[in-house]
Amino acid sequence: MANVLYDALFAPHLGKQTPFLIDANGQVTTHDAFLKIVARFAHAICAKDVQPGDRIVAQVAKSTEALALYAASVQSGAVFLPLNTAYTAKEIAYFVEDAAPKLILCDDSSYDALRGIAASTGANLMTLDADGNGSFPRAAAGQSDFFPTVARSADDLAAFLYTSGTTGRSKGAMLSHNNLLSNATVLKDYWHFTSDDCLLHALPIFHTHGLFVGSNVSLLAGGSVIFLPSFKTDDMIANLPKATAMMGVPTFYTRLLDDDRFTGELVAHMRLFVSGSAPLLAETHKEFETRTGHRILERYGMTETNMITSNPYDGPRRAGTVGFPLPGIDIRIAEPDTGAKLPQGDIGVVELKGPNVFQGYWQMPEKTKTEFREDGYFITGDMGMIDDQGYLQIVGRAKDLIISGGYNIYPKEVEILLDDQDGIKESAVIGVPHPDFGEAVVGVIVAENGKAIETSKVLETIRQDIARFKQPKQLFEVSELPRNTMGKVQKNVLREQYKNTFS
């Protein structure tokens, strides 16, 4: 029996002497050299008695070796569980207790803090540092460059990714070999990736976007990757002339646009810019296209499903939308309570079926059951609509819905109106407790270039364009919106900050 994911992503490149990873210092690792690291790592994994299906937790900095650890987990039949490098020891304790890994990899600086956690669960704890050193690479150094790949079927688990847990404790989304491979295969073709491509990669690899979109698609295509540890404008400007494609979150693009060195000439040779993980402002779309002649391609996905939709490669890329369902994926807009399909143009919850949809939440069968309809559609929790041209628009999370005086208010509608006002760079609209209405609409705004905004004038201006019950009862100006590592605005933080506004 084959190992579905390894055989597709990695095995075809054995012996290939072309560049695969180019790090920030210009160090090149060929495809074949990378796979030799992978084989040695797989031996080191098995030496710690990790059996097929056992979990490997990795809270390590992005590096060539960190990506090789993912590949070695796949080759040895283990289940890879990457964790955000910003998590504290207390947060990691929850993930370790829940996932019960056989092996934990961390940076040397975290070793002492995690030692007790590993010991309490019986896990082996080893180190892998940002420079590629550590006890784990040392243990792998003397191993063979050949590893007999462990057989894994399409439905066997390849990875866990934990959801953010903003509405409760984090849930481990179980992703199979076929969940990951089917999505990478579709994206490679849909976005026209080939072995001639060089992807500029500054995303973290503990998240779907950087690991399963950026890395897997590049591996499947057989191209090369400029593998930067993080986003730094200087590094991006220096490396863009060497790349053909870039994947990023909206803040990557706004930071590039803030730099005068980012010109159309600098990216004239590029063929694709992809944005995701958070909505891209229409203003950013427009400014980017004016500056470079390129139209950013927005797509939509989530931890449990990888990518779901994409604006077209050939065809109009519409600001404010996330495009069409990817091949093989069925989408419907449904009434949240009943699951009844809604007509085109109505707002409802986005639901989908497809080979990309996860296998459920780890050790949470009842929670898993509530997230699927009886006919097998997964309930995303995102509210959206299909517009008159068939494009999907996401209007917010179901949990972000504001119910004021019995009326439903979708924050995105108000945010679009606020963002269109002179002097406002971006906004976030939330609902906060109100003694009369249950919830009241509050807007949090960021000014362009630090300019002061007369909030009373903004409220007066938008009054004619939106129903009274949707109008913000108050606006607050801040220097920046709170975001997570993938650029998503943390509305739960804003709701907590402004919860006493009307009390």
Side-chain angles (χ1 to χ4, degrees):
M1 186 171 68
N3 181 308
V4 169
L5 198 57
Y6 183 86
D7 289 352
L9 297 185
F10 304 104
H13 309 310
L14 285 165
K16 197 170 167 184
Q17 300 302 325
T18 52
F20 171 41
L21 297 179
I22 302 113
D23 70 16
N25 299 316
Q27 172 92 25
V28 176
T29 303
T30 67
H31 285 86
D32 187 62
F34 178 76
L35 293 179
K36 286 176 178 174
I37 299 172
V38 171
R40 294 194 292 270
F41 279 14
H43 280 293
I45 286 170
C46 291
K48 290 300 179 182
D49 195 32
V50 177
Q51 302 296 316
D54 284 344
R55 275 73 61 203
I56 295 175
V57 163
Q59 192 199 27
V60 296
K62 181 180 177 183
S63 67
T64 295
E65 289 76 15
L67 188 62
L69 177 64
Y70 158 59
S73 298
V74 171
Q75 189 175 21
S76 62
V79 179
F80 188 61
L81 199 175
L83 293 179
N84 192 319
T85 51
Y87 285 150
T88 64
K90 184 177 179 180
E91 290 170 309
I92 293 168
Y94 166 75
F95 299 120
V96 170
E97 289 164 8
D98 189 59
K102 189 68 71 71
L103 177 63
I104 302 171
L105 277 293
C106 70
D107 187 89
D108 184 66
S109 63
S110 303
Y111 186 85
D112 288 341
L114 300 185
R115 187 161 46 185
I117 295 166
S120 68
T121 58
N124 289 290
L125 179 64
M126 302 185 78
T127 60
L128 173 59
D129 298 333
D131 61 5
N133 292 315
S135 61
F136 182 75
R138 286 195 295 272
Q143 299 287 352
S144 169
D145 290 344
F146 171 78
F147 180 85
T149 302
V150 174
R152 295 274 87 186
S153 70
D155 293 331
D156 282 327
L157 297 184
F160 280 10
L161 286 181
Y162 275 88
T163 61
S164 58
T166 54
T167 57
R169 68 189 182 103
S170 293
K171 307 177 290 293
M174 301 184 290
L175 297 162
S176 72
H177 281 243
N178 191 54
N179 290 152
L180 300 182
L181 180 58
S182 63
N183 208 235
T185 301
V186 165
L187 292 173
K188 177 183 79 72
D189 294 339
Y190 202 81
W191 292 341
H192 296 205
F193 271 85
T194 71
S195 58
D196 293 329
D197 274 304
C198 181
L199 175 68
L200 182 53
H201 191 308
L203 294 160
I205 56 170
F206 52 71
H207 187 273
T208 298
H209 196 169
L211 187 59
F212 300 141
V213 180
S215 303
N216 281 359
V217 168
S218 295
L219 280 158
L220 196 61
S224 58
V225 181
I226 299 172
F227 210 55
L228 303 181
S230 62
F231 181 97
K232 292 180 180 175
T233 302
D234 287 347
D235 289 343
M236 299 298 283
I237 297 290
N239 283 286
L240 273 165
K242 308 168 192 173
T244 63
M246 174 185 155
M247 296 181 190
V249 296
T251 50
F252 285 15
Y253 294 107
T254 55
R255 289 176 187 173
L256 285 171
L257 287 168
D258 285 341
D259 195 298
D260 292 339
R261 295 172 296 171
F262 184 69
T263 63
E265 185 179 0
L266 184 76
V267 298
H269 64 290
M270 293 281 286
R271 68 169 190 84
L272 181 63
F273 292 93
V274 177
S275 182
S277 298
L280 192 70
L281 295 174
E283 176 188 323
T284 306
H285 264 292
K286 189 184 302 181
E287 186 179 353
F288 194 91
E289 187 171 18
T290 300
R291 177 91 65 91
T292 68
H294 287 279
R295 186 77 169 169
I296 297 172
L297 185 153
E298 272 197 278
R299 85 307 177 273
Y300 161 61
M302 57 191 304
T303 300
E304 292 91 339
T305 63
N306 294 307
M307 297 307 102
I308 302 168
T309 69
S310 172
N311 268 272
Y313 185 85
D314 296 308
R317 300 174 188 173
R318 299 188 64 198
T321 80
V322 290
F324 305 105
L326 290 166
I329 297 174
D330 293 319
I331 284 182
R332 69 186 180 195
I333 304 298
E335 201 284 322
D337 294 329
T338 65
K341 185 175 181 179
L342 294 173
Q344 186 170 345
D346 281 11
I347 293 174
V349 66
V350 180
E351 302 182 354
L352 73 143
K353 261 185 179 179
N356 57 315
V357 178
F358 76 134
Q359 306 300 296
Y361 296 113
W362 172 250
Q363 298 190 134
M364 291 185 177
E366 293 305 314
K367 178 61 178 174
T368 298
K369 189 176 180 180
T370 64
E371 301 296 313
F372 286 86
R373 301 291 186 190
E374 289 186 4
D375 60 2
Y377 276 79
F378 173 61
I379 307 164
T380 66
D382 287 322
M383 305 300 289
M385 62 166 282
I386 305 293
D387 69 17
D388 57 357
Q389 296 186 47
Y391 289 73
L392 175 65
Q393 296 181 16
I394 302 297
V395 301
R397 290 289 292 170
K399 62 182 174 61
D400 291 334
L401 175 70
I402 301 166
I403 303 176
S404 184
Y407 293 103
N408 288 355
I409 301 160
Y410 296 99
K412 190 68 177 176
E413 182 182 2
V414 187
E415 288 165 358
I416 289 171
L417 193 57
L418 287 172
D419 293 345
D420 199 40
Q421 302 307 305
D422 288 340
I424 294 181
K425 182 179 180 181
E426 61 178 337
S427 65
V429 169
I430 55 172
V432 300
H434 191 280
D436 296 326
F437 300 104
E439 280 187 301
V441 180
V442 163
V444 185
I445 57 177
V446 178
E448 288 180 341
N449 303 318
K451 295 178 181 175
I453 295 174
E454 290 190 47
T455 56
S456 58
K457 282 190 176 180
V458 172
L459 291 173
E460 183 64 35
T461 302
I462 68 172
R463 202 157 282 158
Q464 59 189 345
D465 296 319
I466 196 168
R468 185 170 182 176
F469 72 88
K470 298 179 184 178
Q471 294 170 14
K473 294 210 171 338
Q474 200 155 335
L475 290 180
F476 294 96
E477 186 179 344
V478 296
S479 59
E480 61 180 7
L481 298 174
R483 299 180 186 274
N484 65 15
T485 54
M486 296 310 294
K488 289 183 180 178
V489 175
Q490 295 177 300
K491 290 192 173 181
N492 57 316
V493 173
L494 293 175
R495 284 191 288 265
E496 178 64 24
Q497 184 176 348
Y498 297 104
K499 66 182 181 182
N500 296 320
T501 300
F502 300 104
S503 62

